């Protein structure tokens, strides 16, 4: 195989971000889309200029024309359809969150190991050079001992009837956007927290429309985040270390360079804030290139399944903490 032939599993809204990333990649080709209805698949294929349209998911998964699946289904369907695709010998880039329980992650990982295929969680922002730059500031020690991370990801969810409003479909702010600050904390601090305290603000249907979290790490660092569905677009990261402080205004989505800023200030020179250029790159290109390296070159994905498992473990601990009103060990 010299190129990876991709199929989109569903006509989800997020596909529009992946389509150019696959098309622009040196070793990727977008060849198919599958939808629950033939009519919608055909309409979508015509709109986006995709060669093959499958009127059910099974048909695309079984097709020899497709090597890799981009899985953009609602969260409660990730495990089932990833496993079916992996068992059919397809590589899978699965949207975040990878699954809704550790048991599901383990079953998915077992299916990938059994079929010798690549499975990865699609956290696009972790593959962007901005995160490599932030990671370098944190891990090089230039900020000193990391004491605290503060991050936010909020937006106004105005899509009535969307799966995000339904707890049974893996809806809720924590599963949808809280996983960004959670995964970034894990990435920058080198592993999951030891203890968490969560607070959920729920609507009448029982879905968390906002979530606050405090996560305690073995090295003494604390990460706090807030996420929600009912505020204007709000995003940010502050890393506080003993020697310096780093602020990123668009850590998770820096598509518009006018709004993405990166600042560092140093102990004793707090007023001399240093502004760094945010590296420019397509937000979704990195995760696609990473899949190509894993599939074609045999490289291990930088975001391992063990790390994705820890994301899910931490989310589950946070929901448990919110339900019990107590600190929970992860
Ligand atoms: N990385 C990112 O930047 C990012 C951004 C947004 C979302 N996401 C993730 O991407 C996934 C999809 O999110 P989205 O907002 O793009 O989804 P969406 O627009 O609501 O679309 C989901 C698609 O799933 C299919 N589907 C199958 N069973 C369904 C059911 N019972 N109810 C509703 N849809 C069903 C539908 O496609 P067919 O009708 O064609 O079968 C539908 O179009 C989620 O896991 C989300 O977390 C990631």
């Amino acid at each position: 195989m010299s190129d990876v032939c991709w199929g989109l599993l569903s006509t989800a809204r997020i596909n529009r971000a992946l389509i150019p990333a696959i098309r622009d990649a040196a070793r990727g080709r977008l060849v198919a889309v599958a939808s629950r209805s033939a009519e919608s698949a055909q309409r979508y294929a015509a709109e986006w200029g995709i060669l093959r349209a499958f009127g059910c998911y099974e048909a695309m998964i079984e097709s020899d024309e497709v090597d890799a699946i981009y899985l953009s289904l609602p969260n409660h369907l990730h495990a089932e359809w990833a496993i079916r695709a992996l068992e059919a010998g397809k590589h899978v880039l699965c949207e975040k969150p990878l699954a809704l329980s550790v048991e599901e992650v383990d079953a998915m990982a077992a299916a990938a190991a059994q079929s010798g295929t690549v499975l990865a969680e699609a956290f696009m922002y972790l593959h962007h050079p901005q995160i490599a730059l932030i990671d370098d500031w944190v891990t090089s020690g230039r900020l000193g001992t990391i004491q605290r991370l503060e991050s936010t990801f909020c937006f106004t969810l105005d899509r009535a009837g969307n799966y995000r409003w339904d707890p049974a479909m893996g809806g809720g702010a924590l599963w949808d956007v809280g996983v960004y600050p959670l995964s970034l904390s894990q990435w920058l601090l080198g592993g999951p927290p030891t203890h968490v305290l969560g607070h959920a603000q729920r609507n009448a249907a029982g879905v968390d429309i906002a979530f606050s979290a405090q996560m305690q790490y073995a090295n003494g660092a604390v990460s706090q985040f807030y996420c929600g569905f009912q505020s204007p677009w709000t995003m940010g990261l502050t890393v506080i270390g003993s020697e310096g402080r780093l602020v990123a205004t668009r850590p998770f989505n820096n598509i518009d360079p006018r709004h993405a800023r990166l600042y560092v200030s140093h102990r004793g020179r707090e007023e001399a804030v240093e502004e760094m250029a945010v590296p420019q790159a397509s937000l979704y290109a990195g995760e696609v290139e990473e899949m190509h390296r894993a599939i074609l070159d045999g490289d291990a994905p930088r975001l391992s399944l063990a790390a994705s498992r820890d994301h899910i473990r931490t989310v589950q601990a946070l929901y448990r903490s919110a339900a019990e009103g107590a600190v929970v060990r992860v």
Side-chain angles (χ1 to χ4, degrees):
M1 198 200 301
S2 57
D3 283 347
V4 176
C5 293
W6 286 88
L8 307 173
L9 196 72
S10 93
T11 57
R13 201 156 96 154
I14 183 59
N15 289 0
R16 66 184 76 171
L18 264 290
I19 291 172
I22 294 171
R23 288 195 162 139
D24 291 346
R27 299 190 288 174
R29 273 192 286 145
L30 178 59
V31 298
V33 61
S35 179
R36 288 169 296 175
S37 91
E39 193 204 339
S40 130
Q42 277 155 11
R43 203 177 333 110
Y44 195 86
E47 181 186 352
W48 289 96
I50 301 169
L51 204 59
R52 290 281 281 129
F54 292 96
C56 69
Y57 300 157
E58 292 87 346
M60 189 174 79
I61 281 171
E62 296 300 332
S63 166
D64 290 338
E65 296 165 57
V66 170
D67 308 311
I69 302 284
Y70 170 60
L71 198 158
S72 52
L73 294 169
N75 299 340
H76 70 304
L77 298 173
H78 288 184
E80 175 191 345
W81 284 99
I83 290 170
R84 292 171 78 154
L86 294 163
E87 286 178 348
K90 304 299 187 245
H91 306 283
V92 176
L93 177 63
C94 178
E95 262 309 334
K96 40 57 64 174
L98 187 65
L100 297 178
S101 72
V102 167
E103 292 73 21
E104 284 185 345
V105 175
D106 290 344
M108 295 159 89
Q114 181 78 30
S115 58
T117 47
V118 175
L119 166 67
E121 186 177 28
F123 266 119
M124 76 309 186
Y125 82 97
L126 285 175
H127 304 284
H128 191 277
Q130 175 180 229
I131 295 300
L133 183 59
I134 295 173
D135 194 32
D136 186 52
W137 273 95
V138 170
T139 54
S140 66
R142 280 180 289 163
L143 299 176
T145 304
I146 302 302
Q147 299 163 343
R148 187 177 175 87
L149 266 58
E150 296 168 353
S151 39
T152 317
F153 196 159
C154 299
F155 71 106
T156 306
L157 178 56
D158 50 12
R159 294 158 74 184
N162 186 254
Y163 77 88
R164 289 171 176 80
W165 294 114
D166 186 351
M169 298 175 85
L174 179 55
W175 279 126
D176 190 45
V177 277
V179 291
Y180 286 94
L182 183 151
S183 55
L184 182 55
S185 300
Q186 184 177 310
W187 187 267
L188 294 177
L189 296 173
T194 57
H195 295 80
V196 296
L197 180 62
H199 175 74
Q201 189 187 331
R202 296 187 182 278
N203 68 5
V207 82
D208 50 302
I209 52 172
F211 202 98
S212 325
Q214 173 149 320
M215 307 192 291
Q216 179 77 48
Y217 288 77
N219 63 3
V222 172
S223 172
Q224 278 198 323
F225 71 81
Y226 178 71
C227 59
F229 286 160
Q230 293 195 320
S231 1
W233 178 257
T234 309
M235 185 180 289
L237 166 75
T238 301
V239 182
I240 302 171
S242 55
E243 302 303 317
R245 180 173 63 107
L246 179 148
V247 174
T249 60
R250 287 286 192 275
F252 311 117
N253 179 330
N254 51 11
I255 283 174
D256 188 338
R258 288 173 306 172
H259 303 302
R261 295 274 184 275
L262 210 46
Y263 305 101
V264 172
S265 56
H266 300 277
R267 186 159 67 113
R269 292 185 284 125
E270 282 84 356
E271 70 291 351
V273 174
E274 178 188 345
E275 179 164 3
M276 284 169 295
V278 175
Q280 294 302 305
S282 148
L283 182 57
Y284 291 84
E287 65 182 9
V288 172
E289 297 291 359
E290 182 82 358
M291 282 297 283
H292 292 169
R293 281 191 293 275
I295 295 168
L296 298 172
D297 308 332
D299 293 357
R302 271 186 306 166
L303 180 60
S304 68
L305 288 178
S308 294
R309 188 179 193 275
D310 283 335
H311 297 157
I312 308 302
R313 217 154 56 86
T314 307
V315 172
Q316 288 191 299
L318 279 167
Y319 275 130
R320 205 165 70 244
S321 166
E324 294 171 3
V327 171
V328 165
R329 180 185 283 275
V330 178

